[in-house]
Each structure stands twice: as C-alpha cells, then as structure tokens.
Amino acid sequence: MHSVLFKVEGNHRLPPTTLSPGDMVCVRTCDSKGAVTTACMQGFVDNLGDDGCTISVALESLHGDPTFSKLFGKSVRIDRFQGLADALTYERNCEALILLQKNGLCKNNPSISIVATLFGHREDVEWLEKNHVVDWEEENLNGLLGNETNDNSQQRTIALGLNKKRPVLVIQGPPGTGKTGILKHLIACAVQQGERVLVTAPTNAAVDNMVEKLSNVGLNIVRVGNPARISKTVSSKSLGDIVNAKLVPFREECERKKSDLRKDLSHCLKDDSLAAGIRQLLKQLGKSLKKKEKQTISEVLSNAQVVLATNTGAADPLIRRLDTFDLVVIDEAGQAIEPSCWIPILQGKRCILAGDQCQLAPVILSRKAFEGGLGISLLERATTLHEGVLTTRLTTQYRMNDAISSWASKEMYGGLLKSSETVFSHLLVDSPFVKVLFLINEISIFIEVKDSINVHYILF
Ligand SMILES: Nc1ncnc2c1ncn2[C@@H]1O[C@H](COP(=O)(O)OP(=O)(O)O)[C@@H](O)[C@H]1O
Ligand SMILES: [Mg+2]
C-alpha cells in the first residue's frame, strides 16, 4: 500500500463529502465532466486534509507498476465502495457458520470442546466432565499476579480464565467493573504460562483499547487490520509498522543496489544485451523485496504472543494461516452478532467472552435475521446454558459516582451493582484531568446527543 495525496487545483476546495478514513474507495481518472477514462484502482481513504483541499488514499500498487505516474496531473474521481465492505463482512460471517457446521464437531477440530459446550445438551457436558475433558474449577494462581489491585471476584475470574481445561468462560459485568482490565491480566498470565492468544472485539476502537492496555505489559503483541482504521496512538503495534521497521536495512540496501544499477544502465545505452541484463537485475531486486516482505510478515505473526484484530478481521488469511491459538479472548462480546464471534473462536482451543448484555446489543437491521435469533449475542446465549456454569459475574464498579451507578443498578441490574469506595462520592472536579471553569456541587448527568454533524451534551 502507498499513500497518495490528491489536491484540488488552485483555490478550490473538495466538494462536500461523507467519505471518512478507512472507507474503501475506487480511484479513476476522468474528463472534465467526471466521465471515467481509466480502470479502477482500489484503496482506502487515509486522511482528509483539515484545509478541505486534500485527500490521501492508500492505494494498492502492483509490482513494478508505475501506478501513480498514471494519475499525475490528471483529473480524478474517487468513489466509495459501500456495498463491498459490507459484502466482505457478510461473506466472512457466512464462511464462519459454514465452517462451524462442517467441522465444528469433527475430532480434529481444535475448538471441539467449545462447540460441544455451546451447542451440546447438559448430558454432553456431563460426559465431557466425567471423562476429564473439561473442568470448571479455578486455576491455582501461585503468585502469578503481581501487585495488582484486583478485588476477590476479579481474582477469581482470572483464576477461572487460566484453567486450560475450561473451554468457555463468560465474564459478565456492568460498565466499570474491570472486565477489560481483567482481560489484560489474564492475557499476560496466559502468555507467561506459554499460551498464544488471539484477542478480538467487534469494533476497531475496542481492539485498539486492548492494544493500548497490553502495550505496557512487555508482551510481543501485533495488531492486524486496515491501517486506516487503526488508531494512531497504537499504530506502532500494527503489523504494517512492525514489518516496515524490520525492513528498513533491507530496503536501504535494495535502494543502494538499484541506484548503482541505474547508473550502470545510463552508461550502456548502446549495448542492448547489457542493458537488458541490468533491467533483469532491477526486476529481481523488486521481487526479492516482495519476498522478504512476505517472509517478515509471516515471521512477525508467528512469533507474536498475542495477535489482535476485530472479529471479522480475524478472518484475514494472514491470521487464518497461523497455528491454532491456545486461547481466544473477545472483549465487548455483548455487542457482537454470534456468527462474527465464531470467526476467532474456531481458531482457538478455548475462549473467554467479556461483556454486558445490558449495554449496546448487536445492531440488527433485518427483521428476518432478528426473528431468526441474531439479536441475541453469543455472550447472552452462553450465560443461559448449563445452569450458569460458563459465567462469572462482576458486580463492583470502579468508574462512577454511586448516584449514577445506583440508578443503573436499580433499572437494569436488579440492584446487584455496587460502587467501590474509591469512586462512591467521586465528582468530576476531583479528577486531575478536569480544569474547573465553574464548580458543580450537584451530581450531574451528561446525555450525549448526536445530530448528523455534531455531538452535543445536555447537562442535567
Ligand atoms: N480492583 C480495582 N481497584 C481499583 N480500580 C479498578 C479495579 N478494577 C477496575 N478498576 C478501574 O475501573 C475502571 C474501569 O475498568 P475497565 O476494565 O475499563 O472496566 P469495564 O471493561 O468493565 O468497563 C478502570 O479505570 C480501572 O482502572
Ligand atoms: Mg471494557
């Protein structure tokens, strides 16, 4: 991929657009009326300039193809592929269901105990228990955790999640109960015990949140996904950035050799056979760079202790090609449709789902799909199975003032949600990051309201 900057001529500005970074687009040259004159070049919007005059697009360039010179000085039109991105997601979800149906209960499927647990009857699970294939107990932590301030139910959750014989653990908890933090500790301990982990979430933002949390734990982590959708704050952990950094010396060496060969080429214009030989060498250099790139990608991914992607991103052939993961972790699983969870789950031996079915549920636009059961997430479905043996609940929250949480507790969590003393009377003005412009003595609730352009906050 190469980022190409397009600029509007003169003092003009780009026409109003709903394009945003990460959108899949087609770039074509056109005449003054916008009629297309070349075939489509596929890419992703990288950035829209603040000045309203520029747009940069990450374009696929073919080997040895002078792709960008074709665009230089020409009028271009950039169209979004709306349907294609959705079609890819749809295809990946369908593919996961087909795999599940075909291989789910095959003996050589590494995730067979997950499938058996999530689709089997109580007797099936009893059979697995009796034959010591599965076990629901806590693992002995043996001082694995450091000085972290986890409460008892959080420690228990980590101990349950580390049991390698537990095929499924559902960590259920209202906002601020420490689910994501627990996943971080769990993943770190699992890696310490020699496991390789695939971490996913339904959205790029939730994946990047995990990347950020895991960045300072000293693990070898790699974030896979569309570069334009990965937050800049964690891009140093992205596959692209890691591979590029490793390739710097090789690229420099290639560039040096290329420039020497080009010099030689300029001296032998009259000798056709020599020139052809040099051109051949130049071509080979390009090829060896591509080969080295592929090799480095596969090295980086196979050496990673933790690979992170969105649920559908986990269908990337680069991830699929890797050895089976020991553990698959899905954060914000309450927001994901069940088929998308099976994409990562079928690539692991056991899985942990964290989330809250009382928060944002999967968005289902089709009535038929909703009535067919897609409105219920795997997380929600799993909590109702096998008399709750798959689930552990967290009920102490560490994020908000009790006045806010007790409302949620009463309305949504049957009065079970409690507030930690550390935040019980916490006000915004107590936060070191809040600059006080006017003092709020009362508890205030902000409601976020979005119209098509702006986000407004209404203060109660
Ligand atoms: N045992 C704990 N003691 C103190 N703070 C905690 C504890 N557990 C979680 N927190 C804090 O609570 C906040 C919310 O944690 P997070 O893992 O994001 O929750 P969730 O994913 O459930 O919404 C974080 O700021 C975290 O540091
Ligand atoms: Mg969270």
Side-chain angles (χ1 to χ4, degrees):
M1 285 271 182
H2 290 88
S3 187
V4 182
L5 183 78
F6 295 95
K7 193 171 184 326
V8 185
E9 250 182 347
N11 295 327
H12 298 290
R13 291 168 68 84
L14 285 170
T17 173
T18 53
L19 282 175
S20 62
D23 283 346
M24 195 185 278
V25 288
C26 159
V27 179
R28 292 169 292 183
T29 57
C30 63
D31 64 19
S32 57
K33 288 184 184 139
V36 169
T37 51
T38 48
C40 166
M41 270 185 237
Q42 194 180 315
F44 294 98
V45 175
D46 204 15
N47 194 20
L48 288 151
D50 291 335
D51 53 2
C53 306
T54 57
I55 177 170
S56 58
V57 180
L59 285 175
E60 296 269 8
S61 71
L62 298 174
H63 171 67
D65 174 15
T67 309
F68 313 124
S69 57
K70 279 189 217 156
L71 300 171
F72 194 74
K74 304 262 172 58
S75 300
V76 296
R77 55 176 294 158
I78 300 174
D79 298 290
R80 174 170 35 206
F81 287 119
Q82 189 59 48
L84 195 62
D86 295 345
L88 186 67
T89 305
Y90 176 75
E91 234 170 64
R92 287 179 165 185
N93 284 326
C94 290
E95 201 179 72
L97 292 184
I98 293 167
L99 269 177
L100 177 64
Q101 194 177 30
K102 208 170 123 204
N103 301 342
L105 291 170
C106 284
K107 268 195 187 138
N108 60 356
N109 174 21
S111 25
I112 183 168
S113 20
I114 310 180
V115 180
T117 308
L118 291 173
F119 287 103
H121 297 293
R122 183 69 200 142
E123 307 83 71
D124 301 314
V125 173
E126 272 167 9
W127 186 90
L128 293 171
E129 285 167 4
K130 268 194 205 118
N131 289 282
H132 308 290
V133 180
V134 304
D135 166 45
W136 311 105
E137 298 307 312
E138 295 170 38
E139 184 76 14
N140 192 344
L141 288 176
N142 275 336
L144 249 181
L145 289 175
N147 303 328
E148 292 93 8
T149 51
N150 296 304
D151 65 36
N152 287 344
S153 58
Q154 292 175 334
Q155 291 238 16
R156 181 171 170 271
T157 305
I158 296 174
L160 290 171
L162 287 174
N163 179 351
K164 290 183 186 165
K165 279 198 173 173
R166 172 184 265 274
V168 180
L169 173 66
V170 176
I171 306 174
Q172 208 197 37
T177 48
K179 299 178 295 296
T180 305
I182 287 175
L183 292 184
K184 170 183 134 176
H185 295 311
L186 248 165
I187 293 162
C189 291
V191 169
Q192 223 173 312
Q193 295 188 326
E195 293 191 295
R196 282 180 65 250
V197 190
L198 174 61
V199 181
T200 67
T203 61
N204 280 291
V207 178
D208 288 342
N209 185 24
M210 280 305 309
V211 177
E212 210 170 325
K213 286 229 154 62
L214 289 170
S215 288
N216 50 15
V217 189
L219 303 178
N220 184 354
I221 69 173
V222 181
R223 162 72 156 108
V224 180
N226 176 353
R229 295 249 190 242
I230 298 176
S231 155
K232 296 271 178 281
T233 53
V234 297
S235 61
S236 64
K237 300 290 176 192
S238 70
L239 180 62
D241 279 23
I242 296 174
V243 169
N244 280 339
K246 283 191 185 289
L247 284 177
V248 167
F250 192 82
R251 282 215 169 99
E252 281 173 0
E253 176 73 6
C254 269
E255 279 313 313
R256 199 184 50 71
K257 284 184 184 162
K258 266 187 194 170
S259 107
D260 286 352
L261 284 168
R262 284 198 192 105
K263 264 186 223 148
D264 292 347
L265 193 62
S266 64
H267 292 141
C268 62
L269 287 176
K270 283 192 187 116
D271 187 339
D272 280 354
S273 64
L274 198 55
I278 292 176
R279 284 200 190 93
Q280 193 61 29
L281 283 175
L282 277 166
K283 226 178 182 176
Q284 271 170 13
L285 268 178
K287 272 190 189 162
S288 68
L289 180 60
K290 270 267 163 307
K291 196 172 157 202
K292 180 82 181 166
E293 224 171 65
K294 269 193 179 166
Q295 199 184 330
T296 313
I297 289 174
S298 111
E299 263 168 34
V300 167
L301 282 172
S302 354
N303 292 335
Q305 294 164 310
V306 184
V307 175
L308 300 106
T310 57
N311 287 352
T312 38
D316 190 319
L318 290 173
I319 300 182
R320 276 207 192 288
R321 230 176 275 146
L322 298 171
D323 292 342
T324 306
F325 288 88
D326 301 295
L327 172 62
V328 172
V329 171
I330 307 181
D331 196 10
E332 303 289 4
Q335 288 179 29
I337 56 167
E338 175 157 352
S340 79
C341 290
W342 283 104
I343 299 173
I345 290 176
L346 288 173
Q347 300 182 60
K349 295 177 190 159
R350 59 194 194 92
C351 74
I352 296 176
L353 312 176
D356 178 12
Q357 71 246 38
C358 296
Q359 290 178 56
L360 204 64
V363 178
I364 309 295
L365 299 175
S366 150
R367 176 173 285 274
K368 202 171 153 197
F370 188 80
E371 286 169 358
L374 273 191
I376 297 173
S377 65
L378 179 59
L379 176 123
E380 187 172 359
R381 190 168 80 73
T383 52
T384 61
L385 297 175
H386 314 310
E387 289 139 27
V389 73
L390 308 181
T391 313
T392 174
R393 284 194 173 78
L394 301 167
T395 50
T396 305
Q397 67 82 19
Y398 296 84
R399 190 178 277 152
M400 59 202 120
N401 188 295
D402 188 65
I404 302 170
S405 107
S406 58
W407 175 81
S409 179
K410 189 165 131 256
E411 297 297 325
M412 288 182 280
Y413 300 104
L416 289 176
L417 177 60
K418 302 281 173 265
S419 303
S420 152
E421 275 175 20
T422 52
V423 293
F424 197 93
S425 328
H426 195 85
L427 294 176
L428 264 184
V429 289
D430 298 330
S431 167
F433 306 109
V434 172
K435 198 170 142 200
V436 182
L437 296 175
F438 59 93
L439 204 58
I440 306 165
N441 289 319
E442 300 288 321
I443 302 301
S444 310
I445 297 181
F446 287 88
I447 305 282
E448 187 183 299
V449 188
K450 260 188 192 166
D451 62 25
S452 55
I453 304 169
N454 300 309
V455 177
H456 307 281
Y457 293 96
I458 301 174
L459 173 62
F460 289 87

